[in-house]
Amino acid sequence: MSRTQSHKSRRTISRPRPKPSRFVHPPVKAEVAVDQNGNKWVRVWLGGRTAYAPLEKLITDQKHFWADLYKRGLIIAAASTRHAIVSQIQNSTNVEQVYAVDRTGWHGHAYVRGEQDIPDKLELKPVVGALPASVRQWSTAGSFLDWKTEVRRLCSDQPLAIFALGCAFASMLLPFATRIMDNPGFELVGPSSRGKSTLAKVSVAIFGSKKDWWRSWQTTLNALEEPMSASCDAILVLDELNHALGAKNVPIDEVEKAVFKLAEGADKARLGAGVPRSSRFIFLSTSNQPIRDLLARTAAERAQAVGVRMSTVTVDREFGCFDSLPAGCADSAKAIDQLQSLAMTHYGWAGNAFLARLQQLSQSRPDLLETRIKRRMDDFNRRAGVDPNNGEASRVADKFALVYAAASLAVRWKILPLDSIGPGILAIHRESTNGDRAAYQPSHVVSSAIDRIRNYVKANSGGIVDLAGGPVDMTITELNTCPGFRCSKWGGNWVLFRKDAFEKAFGADSSNLLKELRDARLLQHDRDGLQTQIKIRNSAPKDRVYCVRLAP
């Protein structure tokens, strides 16, 4: 074949080159949105997905704006798509109303622990997920049953441990305790190796592990804002205040400002930003010396103001943080080690169980939940002898009362396996406000209702009639002078009181005791009152009695 023929042959079989295909970008739509705090957002629709990012970043820092959209599932790499978004925002006239979830905790009837809990709508508005990066992780380890067993062994009749547990539960009640105006704060103060940090770990263990919930005082004032929003409606622990006080470049004034900031719970107001973010929480601080003592050297009024916002709880009992050695503990060091081991091994279960009950009530009967909390707080303040006309004393007492209310609900819901919590928290309150550092003695404080019933039964054991064999033969005179009756029914042991005998024994407190017993589900009663009918006497109709549960 000649060269000419070969050339012609190649020309004959050659085909036209295909035109390069064009990649068609999916349509993109963007508009401005405003949240409940007045902050502006950009809402972007692309490829069937929606994401939000702050408008401020689009204007001042586009690199982080595109990064925020990427974190929320939108990849916008093409320059033409980015240009289209900017152009639409510049020409946008519609402003959408949205709800920004910028902190954890309660939002309406929903409690947000992390991204997985954010609902699609709140207050009938689309929701913007804007949680801080350092959201606390609610995690579990060990066993709920083992936690209960060890809490009962180590914390029964231990005021400081009961108080630490109550603080954790109380942090989830803050939105429902309407008279708590600022964030309750408590500083656990005492010498080294007495169990201050261990008590804080016991509080943290209600929610999760120490590594996710532990913070140090070695921080700046502005740096507190992220852990504040990440701990909303939960506990915020700041360990070792003396580290901050010992730093050469941290004056006492800065720590004072930090306490006020924590109590207020609000971020710093910044030019051009919307309403500052506000967070509710209970904060626990540990230190070797009370901050108000340090402030008192320079200004007594400032020390008093700090003391109202952060009450001092002394951790220096006979056995460290224990009033008596728990069973199985040879000395205070071993007791503290075992309490710390409990907090590090079994955690997270109690918080989840308590929150589940709260969510159920807040959705079905929020009024009932608020009433139960208020009733318990009022009862605590009454037993503490707080003067309602003393604003400062009432403000401090309400914080302890909230801790009592939360612990009481946890006991009622069979989450906290303790029999008596009121006397211990009352003793902590008395010590904090009066400086009385006497050892905890339940007989020195006003007892809870069930404690008073038990003391009465013990004091009158010789006269109380046992109905184990059934109804008894008894005259009217004997009936009227009998201090009470015992019986076993409904899977428990009960003491029975006729109305006259109960009122004679407990006087003016009778009504309040019966209400407390009823709320604690320790009173068996008919639907139409606080009494029930039980057969006590042979050849006589049933008697109406108060029926109080002593033990299962």
Side-chain angles (χ1 to χ4, degrees), residues 458-530:
K458 185 177 180 180
N460 295 274
S461 58
I464 291 179
V465 176
D466 195 341
L467 300 179
V472 296
D473 294 321
M474 181 176 283
T475 66
I476 290 294
T477 302
E478 290 173 332
L479 178 68
N480 291 335
T481 57
C482 183
F485 305 85
R486 281 182 180 274
C487 74
S488 295
K489 293 175 70 70
W490 307 300
N493 297 321
W494 304 78
V495 60
L496 315 178
F497 298 92
R498 297 181 74 248
K499 183 177 180 181
D500 290 344
F502 192 88
E503 291 178 349
K504 180 180 178 182
F506 301 106
D509 289 339
S510 297
S511 178
N512 288 326
L513 290 178
L514 290 169
K515 289 178 181 178
E516 184 178 337
L517 292 167
R518 179 195 60 190
D519 292 343
R521 296 185 178 180
L522 295 174
L523 188 69
Q524 179 70 24
H525 59 90
D526 299 333
R527 290 186 177 181
D528 58 348
L530 297 177

Coordinates of all heavy atoms in Angstrom, one line a residue, residues 458-530:
K458 N -40.8 4.2 117.8 CA -39.7 3.6 118.7 C -40.0 4.0 120.2 O -39.9 3.2 121.1 CB -38.4 4.2 118.3 CG -37.2 3.6 119.1 CD -35.9 4.2 118.5 CE -34.7 3.6 119.3 NZ -33.4 4.2 118.8
A459 N -40.5 5.3 120.4 CA -40.8 5.8 121.7 C -42.0 5.1 122.3 O -42.1 5.0 123.6 CB -40.9 7.3 121.7
N460 N -42.9 4.7 121.5 CA -44.2 4.1 122.0 C -44.4 2.6 121.6 O -45.5 2.1 121.5 CB -45.4 4.9 121.4 CG -45.4 6.3 121.9 OD1 -46.0 6.6 122.9 ND2 -44.9 7.2 121.1
S461 N -43.2 2.0 121.4 CA -43.3 0.6 121.0 C -44.0 -0.3 122.0 O -44.7 -1.3 121.5 CB -41.8 0.0 120.8 OG -41.1 0.1 122.0
G462 N -44.0 0.0 123.3 CA -44.7 -0.8 124.2 C -46.2 -0.8 124.1 O -46.9 -1.7 124.5
G463 N -46.7 0.4 123.7 CA -48.2 0.6 123.6 C -48.8 0.3 122.3 O -50.0 0.2 122.2
I464 N -48.0 0.2 121.2 CA -48.5 0.0 119.9 C -49.0 -1.4 119.7 O -48.2 -2.4 120.0 CB -47.5 0.4 118.8 CG1 -47.3 1.9 118.8 CG2 -47.9 -0.1 117.4 CD1 -46.2 2.4 117.8
V465 N -50.2 -1.6 119.3 CA -50.8 -3.0 119.2 C -50.5 -3.6 117.8 O -50.7 -3.0 116.8 CB -52.3 -2.9 119.4 CG1 -53.0 -4.3 119.2 CG2 -52.6 -2.3 120.7
D466 N -50.0 -4.9 117.9 CA -49.7 -5.6 116.6 C -50.9 -6.3 116.1 O -51.5 -7.1 116.9 CB -48.5 -6.6 116.9 CG -47.9 -7.1 115.6 OD1 -48.5 -7.0 114.6 OD2 -46.8 -7.6 115.7
L467 N -51.3 -6.1 114.9 CA -52.4 -6.8 114.3 C -52.0 -7.9 113.4 O -52.7 -8.3 112.4 CB -53.2 -5.7 113.4 CG -53.7 -4.5 114.2 CD1 -54.5 -3.6 113.2 CD2 -54.7 -4.9 115.3
A468 N -50.8 -8.5 113.7 CA -50.4 -9.7 112.9 C -51.3 -10.8 112.9 O -51.5 -11.6 111.9 CB -49.0 -10.1 113.3
G469 N -52.0 -11.0 114.0 CA -53.0 -12.1 114.2 C -54.4 -11.7 113.7 O -55.3 -12.5 113.9
G470 N -54.6 -10.5 113.2 CA -55.9 -10.0 112.7 C -56.5 -9.1 113.7 O -55.8 -8.6 114.6
P471 N -57.8 -8.7 113.5 CA -58.4 -7.8 114.5 C -58.4 -8.3 115.9 O -58.3 -9.5 116.2 CB -59.9 -7.8 113.9 CG -59.8 -8.2 112.5 CD -58.7 -9.2 112.5
V472 N -58.5 -7.3 116.8 CA -58.3 -7.6 118.3 C -59.6 -7.2 119.0 O -60.4 -6.4 118.5 CB -57.1 -6.9 118.8 CG1 -55.8 -7.4 118.2 CG2 -57.2 -5.4 118.7
D473 N -59.7 -7.7 120.2 CA -60.8 -7.3 121.1 C -60.4 -6.1 121.9 O -59.3 -6.1 122.5 CB -61.2 -8.4 122.1 CG -61.8 -9.7 121.4 OD1 -62.5 -9.5 120.5 OD2 -61.4 -10.8 121.8
M474 N -61.1 -5.0 121.8 CA -60.7 -3.7 122.4 C -61.9 -2.9 122.7 O -62.9 -2.8 121.9 CB -59.8 -3.0 121.4 CG -59.2 -1.7 121.9 SD -58.1 -1.0 120.7 CE -56.6 -2.0 121.1
T475 N -62.0 -2.3 123.9 CA -63.1 -1.4 124.2 C -62.8 0.0 123.6 O -61.7 0.3 123.1 CB -63.1 -1.2 125.8 OG1 -62.0 -0.5 126.2 CG2 -63.3 -2.6 126.5
I476 N -63.9 0.8 123.6 CA -63.8 2.1 123.1 C -62.7 2.9 123.8 O -62.0 3.7 123.2 CB -65.2 2.8 123.1 CG1 -66.1 2.2 122.1 CG2 -65.0 4.3 122.8 CD1 -65.8 2.4 120.7
T477 N -62.7 2.8 125.1 CA -61.7 3.5 125.9 C -60.3 3.1 125.5 O -59.4 4.0 125.4 CB -61.9 3.3 127.4 OG1 -63.2 3.7 127.8 CG2 -60.9 4.0 128.3
E478 N -60.1 1.8 125.4 CA -58.7 1.3 125.0 C -58.4 1.8 123.6 O -57.2 2.2 123.3 CB -58.7 -0.2 125.0 CG -58.8 -0.8 126.4 CD -58.9 -2.3 126.4 OE1 -59.5 -2.8 125.5 OE2 -58.4 -2.9 127.4
L479 N -59.4 1.9 122.7 CA -59.2 2.3 121.3 C -58.7 3.8 121.3 O -57.8 4.2 120.6 CB -60.4 2.2 120.5 CG -60.4 2.6 119.1 CD1 -59.4 1.8 118.2 CD2 -61.8 2.6 118.4
N480 N -59.4 4.6 122.1 CA -59.1 6.0 122.2 C -57.8 6.4 122.8 O -57.2 7.4 122.5 CB -60.2 6.8 122.9 CG -61.6 6.7 122.2 OD1 -61.6 6.6 120.9 ND2 -62.7 6.9 122.9
T481 N -57.3 5.5 123.6 CA -56.0 5.8 124.3 C -54.8 5.0 123.7 O -53.7 5.3 124.1 CB -56.1 5.4 125.8 OG1 -56.4 4.0 125.9 CG2 -57.1 6.2 126.5
C482 N -55.1 4.2 122.7 CA -54.0 3.4 122.0 C -53.2 4.4 121.1 O -53.7 5.1 120.3 CB -54.6 2.3 121.2 SG -53.4 1.3 120.4
P483 N -51.8 4.3 121.3 CA -50.9 5.2 120.5 C -50.9 4.8 119.0 O -50.4 5.6 118.2 CB -49.6 5.1 121.1 CG -49.6 3.7 121.8 CD -51.0 3.5 122.2
G484 N -51.3 3.6 118.6 CA -51.2 3.2 117.2 C -51.2 1.7 117.1 O -51.3 0.9 118.1
F485 N -51.2 1.2 115.8 CA -51.3 -0.2 115.5 C -50.2 -0.5 114.5 O -49.9 0.3 113.6 CB -52.7 -0.6 115.0 CG -53.8 -0.2 116.0 CD1 -54.3 1.1 115.9 CD2 -54.3 -1.1 116.9 CE1 -55.4 1.5 116.8 CE2 -55.3 -0.7 117.8 CZ -55.8 0.6 117.7
R486 N -49.8 -1.8 114.5 CA -48.9 -2.3 113.4 C -49.6 -3.3 112.6 O -50.4 -4.1 113.1 CB -47.7 -3.0 114.1 CG -46.6 -2.0 114.6 CD -45.4 -2.9 115.1 NE -44.3 -2.1 115.6 CZ -43.3 -1.7 114.9 NH1 -43.3 -1.9 113.6 NH2 -42.4 -0.9 115.4
C487 N -49.3 -3.4 111.3 CA -49.8 -4.5 110.5 C -48.9 -4.6 109.3 O -48.1 -3.8 108.9 CB -51.2 -4.2 110.1 SG -51.4 -2.9 108.8
S488 N -49.0 -5.8 108.7 CA -48.2 -6.1 107.4 C -49.2 -6.3 106.3 O -50.0 -7.2 106.4 CB -47.4 -7.4 107.6 OG -46.4 -7.1 108.6
K489 N -49.2 -5.4 105.3 CA -50.2 -5.5 104.2 C -49.5 -4.9 103.0 O -48.5 -4.1 103.1 CB -51.5 -4.7 104.5 CG -52.3 -5.2 105.6 CD -53.5 -4.3 105.9 CE -54.5 -4.3 104.8 NZ -55.3 -5.5 104.7
W490 N -50.1 -5.2 101.8 CA -49.6 -4.6 100.6 C -48.1 -4.6 100.4 O -47.5 -3.7 99.8 CB -50.1 -3.1 100.5 CG -51.6 -2.9 100.7 CD1 -52.6 -3.5 100.0 CD2 -52.1 -2.2 101.8 NE1 -53.8 -3.1 100.6 CE2 -53.5 -2.3 101.7 CE3 -51.6 -1.4 102.9 CZ2 -54.4 -1.7 102.5 CZ3 -52.5 -0.8 103.7 CH2 -53.9 -0.9 103.6
G491 N -47.5 -5.7 100.8 CA -46.1 -5.9 100.6 C -45.2 -5.1 101.5 O -44.0 -4.9 101.1
G492 N -45.7 -4.6 102.6 CA -44.9 -3.7 103.5 C -45.3 -3.7 104.9 O -46.3 -4.4 105.3
N493 N -44.6 -3.0 105.8 CA -44.9 -2.9 107.2 C -45.5 -1.5 107.4 O -44.9 -0.5 107.0 CB -43.7 -3.1 108.1 CG -43.2 -4.6 107.9 OD1 -43.9 -5.5 107.8 ND2 -41.9 -4.7 107.9
W494 N -46.6 -1.4 108.1 CA -47.3 -0.2 108.3 C -47.6 0.1 109.7 O -47.8 -0.8 110.5 CB -48.7 -0.2 107.5 CG -48.5 -0.5 106.0 CD1 -48.2 -1.8 105.5 CD2 -48.5 0.4 105.0 NE1 -48.1 -1.7 104.1 CE2 -48.2 -0.4 103.8 CE3 -48.7 1.8 104.9 CZ2 -48.2 0.2 102.5 CZ3 -48.6 2.3 103.6 CH2 -48.4 1.6 102.5
V495 N -47.8 1.4 110.1 CA -48.2 1.8 111.4 C -49.5 2.6 111.1 O -49.6 3.4 110.2 CB -47.2 2.7 112.1 CG1 -46.8 3.9 111.4 CG2 -47.7 3.0 113.5
L496 N -50.5 2.3 111.9 CA -51.9 2.9 111.8 C -52.2 3.9 112.9 O -51.9 3.6 114.1 CB -52.9 1.8 111.7 CG -52.6 0.5 110.9 CD1 -53.8 -0.5 111.0 CD2 -52.4 0.9 109.4
F497 N -52.7 5.0 112.5 CA -53.1 6.0 113.5 C -54.6 6.4 113.3 O -55.0 6.7 112.2 CB -52.3 7.3 113.4 CG -50.8 7.1 113.6 CD1 -50.0 6.9 112.5 CD2 -50.2 7.3 114.8 CE1 -48.6 6.7 112.7 CE2 -48.9 7.2 115.0 CZ -48.1 6.9 114.0
R498 N -55.3 6.4 114.4 CA -56.6 7.1 114.4 C -56.4 8.6 114.4 O -55.4 9.1 114.9 CB -57.5 6.6 115.5 CG -57.8 5.1 115.5 CD -58.7 4.7 116.6 NE -60.1 5.2 116.5 CZ -60.7 6.1 117.2 NH1 -60.0 6.7 118.2 NH2 -61.9 6.5 117.0
K499 N -57.3 9.3 113.8 CA -57.1 10.8 113.6 C -56.8 11.5 114.9 O -55.8 12.3 115.0 CB -58.3 11.4 113.0 CG -58.2 12.9 112.7 CD -59.4 13.4 112.0 CE -59.2 14.9 111.7 NZ -60.4 15.5 111.0
D500 N -57.5 11.2 116.0 CA -57.3 11.9 117.3 C -55.9 11.6 117.8 O -55.2 12.5 118.3 CB -58.3 11.4 118.3 CG -59.7 12.0 117.9 OD1 -59.8 12.9 117.1 OD2 -60.7 11.4 118.5
A501 N -55.4 10.3 117.7 CA -54.1 9.9 118.2 C -53.0 10.6 117.4 O -52.0 11.1 118.0 CB -54.0 8.4 118.1
F502 N -53.2 10.7 116.1 CA -52.2 11.4 115.2 C -52.0 12.9 115.6 O -50.9 13.4 115.7 CB -52.5 11.2 113.8 CG -51.4 11.5 112.8 CD1 -50.4 10.6 112.4 CD2 -51.3 12.8 112.3 CE1 -49.4 10.9 111.6 CE2 -50.2 13.2 111.5 CZ -49.3 12.2 111.1
E503 N -53.2 13.5 115.7 CA -53.1 15.0 116.0 C -52.6 15.2 117.4 O -51.9 16.2 117.6 CB -54.5 15.6 115.8 CG -55.0 15.6 114.3 CD -56.4 16.1 114.2 OE1 -57.1 16.3 115.2 OE2 -56.8 16.4 113.0
K504 N -52.9 14.3 118.3 CA -52.4 14.5 119.7 C -50.8 14.3 119.7 O -50.1 15.0 120.4 CB -53.0 13.4 120.6 CG -52.5 13.5 122.0 CD -53.2 12.5 122.9 CE -52.7 12.5 124.3 NZ -53.3 11.5 125.2
A505 N -50.3 13.4 118.8 CA -48.9 13.1 118.8 C -48.1 14.2 118.1 O -47.0 14.6 118.5 CB -48.7 11.8 118.2
F506 N -48.7 14.8 117.0 CA -47.9 15.7 116.2 C -48.4 17.1 116.1 O -47.8 18.0 115.5 CB -47.8 15.1 114.8 CG -47.1 13.7 114.8 CD1 -47.9 12.6 114.5 CD2 -45.8 13.6 115.0 CE1 -47.3 11.4 114.5 CE2 -45.2 12.3 115.0 CZ -46.0 11.2 114.8
G507 N -49.5 17.4 116.8 CA -50.0 18.7 117.0 C -50.2 19.5 115.7 O -50.8 19.0 114.7
A508 N -49.7 20.7 115.7 CA -49.9 21.6 114.6 C -49.2 21.2 113.3 O -49.6 21.6 112.2 CB -49.4 23.0 114.9
D509 N -48.2 20.3 113.4 CA -47.5 19.8 112.2 C -48.3 18.7 111.5 O -47.8 18.2 110.5 CB -46.1 19.3 112.6 CG -45.2 20.5 113.0 OD1 -45.5 21.6 112.6 OD2 -44.2 20.2 113.7
S510 N -49.4 18.2 112.1 CA -50.0 17.0 111.5 C -50.3 17.2 110.1 O -50.1 16.2 109.3 CB -51.3 16.8 112.3 OG -51.1 16.5 113.7
S511 N -50.9 18.3 109.7 CA -51.3 18.4 108.3 C -50.1 18.4 107.3 O -50.1 17.7 106.3 CB -52.1 19.8 108.1 OG -52.4 20.0 106.8
N512 N -49.1 19.1 107.7 CA -47.9 19.2 106.8 C -47.2 17.8 106.8 O -46.7 17.4 105.7 CB -46.9 20.2 107.3 CG -47.3 21.6 107.1 OD1 -48.0 21.9 106.1 ND2 -47.0 22.5 108.0
L513 N -47.2 17.1 107.9 CA -46.6 15.7 107.9 C -47.3 14.8 107.0 O -46.7 14.0 106.2 CB -46.6 15.2 109.3 CG -45.6 15.8 110.3 CD1 -45.8 15.2 111.7 CD2 -44.2 15.7 109.9
L514 N -48.6 14.8 107.0 CA -49.5 14.0 106.2 C -49.2 14.3 104.7 O -49.1 13.4 103.9 CB -50.9 14.1 106.5 CG -51.3 13.5 107.9 CD1 -52.7 14.0 108.3 CD2 -51.2 12.0 107.9
K515 N -49.1 15.6 104.4 CA -48.9 15.9 103.0 C -47.5 15.5 102.5 O -47.4 15.0 101.4 CB -49.0 17.5 102.8 CG -50.4 18.0 102.9 CD -50.4 19.5 102.8 CE -51.8 20.1 103.0 NZ -51.8 21.6 102.9
E516 N -46.5 15.6 103.4 CA -45.2 15.1 103.0 C -45.1 13.6 102.8 O -44.5 13.1 101.9 CB -44.1 15.5 104.1 CG -42.7 15.2 103.8 CD -41.7 15.6 104.8 OE1 -42.0 16.6 105.5 OE2 -40.6 15.0 104.9
L517 N -45.8 12.9 103.7 CA -45.9 11.4 103.6 C -46.6 11.0 102.3 O -46.2 10.1 101.6 CB -46.6 10.8 104.8 CG -45.9 10.9 106.2 CD1 -46.8 10.6 107.3 CD2 -44.7 10.0 106.2
R518 N -47.7 11.8 102.0 CA -48.4 11.5 100.8 C -47.6 11.7 99.5 O -47.5 10.9 98.6 CB -49.7 12.3 100.7 CG -50.5 12.1 99.4 CD -51.5 13.3 99.2 NE -50.8 14.6 99.1 CZ -51.4 15.7 99.1 NH1 -52.7 15.8 99.4 NH2 -50.7 16.9 99.0
D519 N -46.8 12.8 99.5 CA -46.0 13.1 98.4 C -44.9 12.1 98.2 O -44.4 11.9 97.1 CB -45.4 14.5 98.5 CG -46.5 15.6 98.4 OD1 -47.6 15.3 97.9 OD2 -46.2 16.8 98.8
A520 N -44.4 11.6 99.3 CA -43.3 10.6 99.3 C -43.9 9.2 99.1 O -43.1 8.2 99.1 CB -42.5 10.6 100.6
R521 N -45.2 9.1 98.8 CA -45.9 7.8 98.6 C -45.7 6.8 99.8 O -45.5 5.6 99.6 CB -45.4 7.1 97.3 CG -45.7 7.9 96.1 CD -45.4 7.2 94.8 NE -45.7 8.0 93.6 CZ -45.5 7.6 92.4 NH1 -45.0 6.4 92.1 NH2 -45.9 8.3 91.4
L522 N -45.7 7.4 101.0 CA -45.6 6.6 102.2 C -46.9 6.6 103.0 O -47.0 6.1 104.1 CB -44.5 7.2 103.1 CG -43.1 7.1 102.6 CD1 -42.1 7.9 103.5 CD2 -42.6 5.7 102.4
L523 N -48.0 7.1 102.3 CA -49.3 7.1 103.0 C -50.3 6.4 102.1 O -50.5 6.8 101.0 CB -49.7 8.6 103.2 CG -51.0 8.8 104.0 CD1 -50.7 8.4 105.5 CD2 -51.4 10.3 103.9
Q524 N -50.8 5.3 102.6 CA -51.9 4.5 101.9 C -53.2 5.2 102.2 O -53.6 5.4 103.4 CB -51.9 3.1 102.4 CG -53.0 2.2 101.7 CD -52.6 1.9 100.3 OE1 -51.5 2.0 99.9 NE2 -53.6 1.7 99.5
H525 N -53.9 5.7 101.2 CA -55.1 6.4 101.4 C -56.2 6.2 100.3 O -55.8 5.8 99.2 CB -54.9 7.9 101.6 CG -54.2 8.5 100.4 ND1 -54.9 9.1 99.3 CD2 -52.9 8.6 100.1 CE1 -54.1 9.5 98.4 NE2 -52.8 9.3 98.8
D526 N -57.4 6.4 100.6 CA -58.5 6.4 99.6 C -58.4 7.6 98.7 O -57.8 8.6 99.0 CB -59.8 6.3 100.3 CG -60.0 5.0 101.2 OD1 -59.3 4.0 100.9 OD2 -60.7 5.1 102.2
R527 N -59.2 7.5 97.6 CA -59.1 8.6 96.7 C -59.7 9.9 97.2 O -59.4 11.0 96.8 CB -59.9 8.2 95.4 CG -59.2 7.1 94.6 CD -60.0 6.9 93.3 NE -59.3 5.9 92.5 CZ -59.7 5.6 91.2 NH1 -60.8 6.1 90.8 NH2 -59.0 4.7 90.5
D528 N -60.6 9.8 98.2 CA -61.4 10.9 98.7 C -60.8 11.6 99.9 O -61.4 12.4 100.6 CB -62.8 10.6 98.9 CG -63.0 9.5 99.9 OD1 -61.9 8.8 100.2 OD2 -64.1 9.2 100.4
G529 N -59.5 11.2 100.3 CA -58.9 11.8 101.5 C -57.6 11.2 101.8 O -57.0 10.5 101.0
L530 N -57.1 11.4 103.0 CA -55.8 10.9 103.4 C -55.9 9.7 104.3 O -54.9 9.2 104.8 CB -55.0 12.0 104.2 CG -54.7 13.3 103.4 CD1 -54.1 14.3 104.3 CD2 -53.8 13.0 102.2

